[in-house]
Amino acid sequence: METIRLRHVLTALEEMYPVDTAQSWDRVGLVTGDPEQPVRRIHAAVDPTLEVIEEAREAGADLLVTHHPLLLRGVHSVATTSAKGAAVTSLVVGDVALYVAHTNADVAEPGVNTALAAACGLTATEPLTLEEGRAMGRVGDLPAEVSLAQFARSLAAALPPAPAGIRVSGPADGRVRRVALLGGAGDGLVDAAAAAGADVYVTSDLRHHPALEAREDATTRGGTPFLVDAGHWATESLWLGEMLTRLGESLAAAGGDVVGLETHVSTICTDPWSFTVGARPDQGDPQ
């Protein structure tokens, strides 16, 4: 069997998440690393933060695969006086390659949104909408109707815990069957969720005014879609384990020596919030 090198991993990742399916503004692919370097340990995380990079280095990782880009916007210096510079330096000094699969992983099947769909309890879905000719989000029906409170509790149990938890807009006893979703920030697709006939829309980073206006508009449609803000990091982290499993299978099928290849999903929660204080007790979630 052939020793696994970074170029083999890149080939497998780009077959799973083709670079040309990323949105035009995105920056995906290899950020640091030598395609000829051997890879025996792969680390995966949502964000390439300094703490995540240090975790990968301490674990002896040869490759860090993240969902979010490290260098999305123009950078004119990689001096260690900035966080970006310190991150690049740490990766290079630690001989850790960094690879990014972002919006190309969002639209993949399976990918970020299909993993979130499974956490929502959906077994069959279709694209929520199209942007730049690419499928955005998913929509599908639950096997049986449940209350909004039951749906939110089940989703919370399926997601990794984050300090801010899950925010829900809608009555606890509201009825949910059709679910629309978009991992990560998604307040721009609230109208698409409504057009798809969704009873609830699951996403994150919902801002005050768009969310309030969406709920006001929903009163003309019987109150739906209800909104669930499940957190950016939480909604996109589910995909990581699945990605590593598929990557290992792909490398093995290509004749790579996967015996001894180690993979690890970062345990670090990169949600930017640390804790909450003074949240009003739930006003109507029937236990």
Side-chain angles (χ1 to χ4, degrees):
M1 287 188 174
E2 188 174 6
T3 298
I4 296 174
R5 299 191 180 277
L6 180 56
R7 58 183 168 84
H8 300 132
V9 183
L10 299 182
T11 296
L13 285 169
E14 290 173 6
E15 287 177 352
M16 293 159 58
Y17 314 109
V19 172
D20 61 3
T21 63
Q23 293 191 6
S24 58
W25 52 264
D26 205 2
R27 297 292 180 268
V28 301
L30 188 64
V31 180
T32 65
D34 178 355
E36 292 303 319
Q37 69 186 73
V39 174
R40 301 307 305 166
R41 184 174 179 87
I42 303 173
H43 215 66
V46 173
D47 298 286
T49 63
L50 290 168
E51 186 180 9
V52 165
I53 293 169
E54 182 60 27
E55 180 188 49
R57 287 185 59 175
E58 289 182 354
D62 304 298
L63 170 63
L64 171 61
V65 180
T66 66
H67 184 49
H68 290 147
L70 174 64
L71 304 174
L72 183 59
R73 297 175 179 83
V75 174
H76 304 289
S77 169
V78 291
T80 58
T81 49
S82 71
K84 297 292 186 186
V88 171
T89 299
S90 182
L91 287 163
V92 173
V93 170
D95 200 21
V96 180
L98 173 63
Y99 187 89
V100 174
H102 190 208
T103 54
N104 49 332
D106 288 333
V107 300
E109 294 187 39
V112 172
N113 285 308
T114 55
L116 178 56
C120 288
L122 302 175
T123 56
T125 62
E126 60 188 34
L128 175 58
T129 188
L130 296 176
E131 286 187 9
E132 298 183 2
R134 299 166 177 83
M136 299 293 293
R138 309 298 299 179
V139 61
D141 297 317
L142 296 172
E145 185 181 85
V146 297
S147 72
L148 179 58
Q150 289 172 315
F151 174 79
R153 286 198 297 269
S154 294
L155 178 58
L159 293 174
I166 289 179
R167 298 187 299 172
V168 182
S169 181
D173 60 355
R175 309 312 295 172
V176 171
R177 181 70 185 270
R178 189 159 179 79
V179 180
L181 61 96
L182 180 73
D187 61 16
L189 294 188
V190 175
D191 288 343
D199 300 310
V200 65
Y201 177 46
V202 179
T203 188
S204 70
D205 296 352
L206 291 174
R207 295 170 295 164
H208 177 88
H209 294 296
L212 185 60
E213 290 173 7
R215 294 298 299 133
E216 289 282 283
D217 288 341
T219 60
T220 65
R221 299 185 299 267
T224 57
F226 308 126
L227 302 177
V228 173
D229 187 325
H232 201 128
W233 170 79
T235 58
E236 294 186 326
S237 64
L238 298 169
W239 157 77
L240 298 171
E242 175 188 90
M243 176 271 295
L244 288 175
T245 297
R246 292 184 62 220
L247 178 58
E249 293 171 348
S250 179
L251 291 169
D257 182 8
V258 296
V259 177
L261 176 66
E262 299 180 5
T263 60
H264 177 73
V265 175
S266 175
T267 58
I268 296 172
C269 173
T270 53
D271 190 301
W273 309 111
S274 301
F275 57 90
T276 58
V277 175
R280 189 179 73 171
D282 199 318
Q283 298 297 299
D285 181 357
Q287 298 298 319

